[in-house]
Amino acid sequence: GIQVEQSPPDLILQEGANSTLRCNFSDSVNNLQWFHQNPWGQLINLFYIPSGTKQNGRLSATTVATERYSLLYISSSQTTDSGVYFCAVGQRVGSQGNLIFGKGTKLSVKP
Amino acid sequence: DGGITQSPKYLFRKEGQNVTLSCEQNLNHDAMYWYRQDPGQGLRLIYYSQIVNDFQKGDIAEGYSVSREKKESFPLTVTSAQKNPTAFYLCASRPSGRANSYEQYFGPGTRLTVT
């Protein structure tokens, strides 16, 4: 099955710093989502981005489907950005919309 | 408000007991999913349902059962056959038959502890 790898696994930032999170996947996809899991466990949808670039405030994401990777950019980080960021993909062939998750990047933003 | 609700938020059970986790959505979504998350890990698919009265096993279905009698409800039963049931369980749904129909939305989750 498709493999999803996220890097780095852990990231510690000072408030105000910028960061880039990476998601590599091993096969063609027709769905790619970025999520933020808050300390209470809730998964918050950040981006639905199987290809192209999107921006939402301080966050932006780019997926290069032909090269099988996606990047999540966080600018001017805040302590509320702390948590785990997950990338999840859906496979192109035989997909029922199921998502395959990476193991996440744990982000800690220090004041 | 439209959304996905899961209850209860925390659940404690003794080993050997079956337990049912609730998932309800009022988004009029066709497809619903159950995932399991273990500490420090990503989510893994347990079961999914594309339409009422139909469901399919995911990657880790052993020891679990589901039903889909109504579009808005997709309860998950953790049976005594599940060897390591303690985990965080998340329910999701997505619309179908439209553009961007693969985007999934998640409920708040249920933390199950079995001792």
Side-chain angles (χ1 to χ4, degrees), chain A residues 43-101:
Chain A
L43 274 177
I44 299 164
N45 288 37
L46 297 178
F47 293 102
Y48 171 79
I49 186 164
S51 64
T53 298
K54 291 186 177 180
Q55 180 157 6
N56 184 4
R58 297 180 296 103
L59 273 60
S60 64
T62 295
T63 298
V64 183
T66 53
E67 297 187 21
R68 299 181 183 168
Y69 73 89
S70 183
L71 302 173
L72 177 69
Y73 305 96
I74 304 174
S75 64
S76 304
S77 57
Q78 301 175 359
T79 55
T80 52
D81 294 332
S82 296
V84 182
Y85 289 80
F86 286 104
C87 168
V89 303
Q91 294 182 266
R92 180 173 297 280
V93 177
S95 172
Q96 300 290 331
N98 304 341
L99 289 175
I100 309 298
F101 281 76

Side-chain angles (χ1 to χ4, degrees), chain A residues 8-53:
Chain A
D10 295 280
L11 187 58
I12 300 174
L13 297 175
Q14 208 62 36
E15 198 169 26
N18 302 331
S19 61
T20 301
L21 282 58
R22 187 176 180 102
C23 173
N24 292 334
F25 43 95
S26 61
D27 204 350
S28 300
V29 299
N30 58 2
N31 178 9
L32 190 144
Q33 292 184 244
W34 282 99
F35 298 92
H36 175 212
Q37 188 167 40
N38 65 23
W40 298 271
Q42 174 81 53
L43 274 177
I44 299 164
N45 288 37
L46 297 178
F47 293 102
Y48 171 79
I49 186 164
S51 64
T53 298

Side-chain angles (χ1 to χ4, degrees), chain B:
Chain B
D1 278 2
I4 304 171
T5 57
Q6 293 186 241
S7 60
K9 193 169 185 176
Y10 297 95
L11 190 54
F12 298 89
R13 280 293 183 269
K14 293 290 187 186
E15 195 172 324
Q17 294 178 332
N18 292 356
V19 59
T20 297
L21 282 58
S22 168
C23 177
E24 304 277 332
Q25 54 97 2
N26 61 3
L27 301 168
N28 199 33
H29 286 175
D30 292 307
M32 297 186 74
Y33 304 81
W34 274 106
Y35 293 88
R36 169 185 171 134
Q37 185 180 28
D38 293 288
Q41 301 295 315
L43 280 65
R44 293 181 292 166
L45 182 66
I46 305 172
Y47 265 99
Y48 62 97
S49 168
Q50 301 295 306
I51 56 172
V52 174
N53 293 323
D54 184 60
F55 47 83
Q56 305 293 331
K57 292 182 179 180
D59 299 322
I60 55 167
E62 185 175 350
Y64 299 98
S65 65
V66 293
S67 62
R68 186 85 187 276
E69 298 176 2
K70 299 186 297 182
K71 185 175 184 177
E72 55 272 19
S73 178
F74 190 39
L76 173 74
T77 296
V78 184
T79 75
S80 56
Q82 168 49 234
K83 297 194 185 313
N84 297 295
T86 295
F88 186 46
Y89 291 87
L90 288 135
C91 176
S93 70
R94 69 168 177 87
S96 58
R98 333 191 294 218
N100 280 2
S101 66
Y102 291 110
E103 185 172 7
Q104 288 190 25
Y105 299 84
F106 282 79
T110 292
R111 292 194 185 275
L112 173 64
T113 302
V114 177
T115 57

